């Protein structure tokens, strides 16, 4: 970081000593996994900068926005409609949940056998390590999986700022009605805390910003179909992770600039791995920043990750919002519909996820699929069985992995992944 932010962190109530330790570990991990990569696109320079300032400049910007009266809304899930937050001139931030920190503290509130993502968001708050959560006016939870649902109760006891959206678990007519009502209730809550009215006009402007962000991410995702792959899976994952907390307009411009560069790489046949390198699709639980372990193992073994069927991946940006609305009322309906296209494993049935997974594998020319579930994540661990069946049906080799945020299983995972890579893609036309 270029500047000393100690005073800002102190004011936010962070645990300075532990925070310094976390920043040092993160910096080393980033150097080891990211900066050591060969032939990275120049456009990744912007994202390297964002990471270097993740708890610095971006927090300064958010505090500045808050002082100017913009509400800061923290989220943990891609079901929370970003358009509504932007319509009241709010800042929408995905909160820290991707590292093994504060787990001892978290386990005073939630059981040990809870997924790492939930333990991390509790741990980041309890250990005083997340500057984002400190700046929020509202933390939006959702009734997705049981673990999150119950952890939000504990998080509310601690922060007194949690608001929960009730997400149905079936996409039935009743489920859709409930969800639309929840979208409207959330809109009213945002109006109340911001003092701004949501109108067709501010929703149209907000929708354009969010759709443009989705289009840029779709463009990046499509470019990964090229062989050789113009960008590593690690870098593409990072771009997706940054999408949750960067300024959306600046982020979109930076992704589009990166895509311009990748387009010329594709034209020139230039890539980050040799043409014909084995190609892997990852499918499953989301990978919150700085969860880079699986990508690092796969790419460290000579293969390339070409896509993520995940919320930090295509599940989060696959569908655009239909902006053909004339009134705020019509927009609410369309927003509710758009967000129910997300195919999270907390829904039953959730067959569209299988179609999306095999469709991605085909489009991105993946030689095999690695299904990734965070340990104790029941929804994705359960769906792994269906995913294997779907993958068998289209003749794609499949590997099921359960892991957490620790590095303890790094060696064991590497052995399993290398064995998997041995058997995939043989005989393909290289
Ligand atoms: S839409 S995947 S972001 S809920 S990993 S906490 S599911 S036990 S994160 Fe998710 Fe929204 Fe669904 Fe996406 Fe629970 Fe599983 Fe933990 Fe999870």
């Amino acid at each position: 970081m270029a500047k000393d932010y100690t005073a800002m962190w102190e004011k936010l109530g962070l645990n300075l000593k532990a925070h310094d330790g976390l920043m040092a570990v993160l910096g080393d991990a980033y150097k080891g996994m990211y900066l050591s990569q060969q032939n990275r696109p120049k456009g990744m320079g912007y994202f390297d900068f964002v990471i270097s300032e993740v708890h610095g400049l971006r927090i300064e910007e958010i505090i500045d926005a808050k002082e100017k009266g913009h509400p800061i809304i923290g989220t943990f899930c891609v079901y929370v409609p970003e358009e509504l937050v932007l319509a009241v001139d709010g800042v929408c931030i995905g909160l820290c949940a991707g590292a093994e920190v504060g787990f001892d503290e978290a386990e005073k509130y939630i059981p040990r056998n809870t997924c790492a993502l939930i333990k991390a968001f509790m741990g980041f708050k309890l250990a005083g390590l997340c500057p984002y959560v400190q700046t929020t006016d509202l933390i939006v939870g959702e009734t997705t999986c049981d673990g999150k649902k119950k952890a939000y109760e504990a998080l509310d006891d601690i922060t007194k700022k949690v608001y929960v959206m009730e997400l149905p678990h079936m996409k039935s007519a009743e489920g859709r009605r409930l969800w639309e009502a929840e979208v409207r209730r959330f809109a009213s809550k945002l109006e109340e805390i911001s003092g701004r009215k949501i109108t067709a006009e501010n929703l149209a402007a907000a929708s354009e910003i969010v759709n443009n962000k989705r289009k840029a991410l779709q463009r990046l995702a499509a470019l990964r179909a090229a062989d050789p792959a113009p960008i590593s899976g690690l870098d593409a994952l990072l771009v997706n992770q940054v999408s949750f907390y960067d300024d959306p307009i600046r982020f979109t411009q930076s992704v589009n600039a990166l895509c311009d560069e990748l387009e010329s790489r594709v034209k020139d046949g230039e890539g980050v791995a040799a043409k014909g390198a084995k190609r892997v699709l990852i499918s499953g639980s989301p990978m919150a920043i700085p969860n880079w372990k699986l990508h690092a193992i796969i790419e460290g073994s000579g293969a390339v990750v070409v896509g993520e069927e995940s919320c930090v991946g295509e599940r989060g940006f696959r569908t655009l919002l239909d902006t053909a609305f004339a009134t705020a009322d019509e927009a609410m309906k369309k927003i509710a519909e758009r967000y129910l296209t997300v195919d999270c494993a907390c829904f039953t049935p959730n067959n569209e996820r299988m179609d999306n997974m095999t469709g991605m594998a085909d489009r991105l020319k993946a030689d095999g699929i690695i299904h990734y579930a965070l340990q104790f994540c029941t929804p994705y661990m359960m769906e792994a069985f269906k995913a294997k069946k779907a993958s068998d049906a289209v003749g794609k080799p499949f590997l099921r992995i359960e892991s957490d945020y620790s590095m303890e299983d790094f060696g064991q995972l590497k052995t399993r992944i290398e064995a998997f890579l041995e058997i995939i893609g043989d005989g393909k036309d290289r």
Side-chain angles (χ1 to χ4, degrees), residues 76-80 114-119 121 142-149 152 167 244 284-286 310-312 315 342-347 373-381 405:
F76 294 108
C77 181
V78 296
Y79 280 108
V80 180
T114 303
C115 91
L117 192 145
I118 296 173
K119 266 201 219 172
F121 74 63
E142 16 45 56
T143 57
T144 45
C145 66
D146 286 350
K148 268 179 157 181
K149 200 161 59 188
Y152 292 136
L167 186 78
F244 289 90
S285 303
S310 161
C311 292
V312 184
R315 200 182 302 134
V342 174
D343 53 350
C344 175
C346 64
F347 274 89
L374 273 175
Q375 210 173 17
F376 308 121
C377 168
T378 310
Y380 286 91
M381 282 164 66
Y405 292 167

Side-chain angles (χ1 to χ4, degrees), residues 157-175:
D157 283 346
I158 300 159
T159 63
K160 308 282 177 235
K161 305 197 251 195
V162 177
Y163 171 93
V164 177
M165 295 184 80
E166 184 174 355
L167 186 78
H169 288 171
M170 292 178 81
K171 294 176 183 175
S172 56
E174 292 75 14

Side-chain angles (χ1 to χ4, degrees), residues 3-4 17 46 48 85 132 168-169 196 208 226-227 257 283 293 300 352 371 382 397 429:
K3 203 170 141 184
D4 181 4
K17 195 158 165 254
Y46 170 75
D48 289 340
V85 176
Y132 292 97
H169 288 171
R196 293 183 181 88
E208 195 186 340
D227 185 13
S283 173
K293 183 166 71 173
E352 62 264 42
H371 193 278
M382 288 274 186
D429 192 11

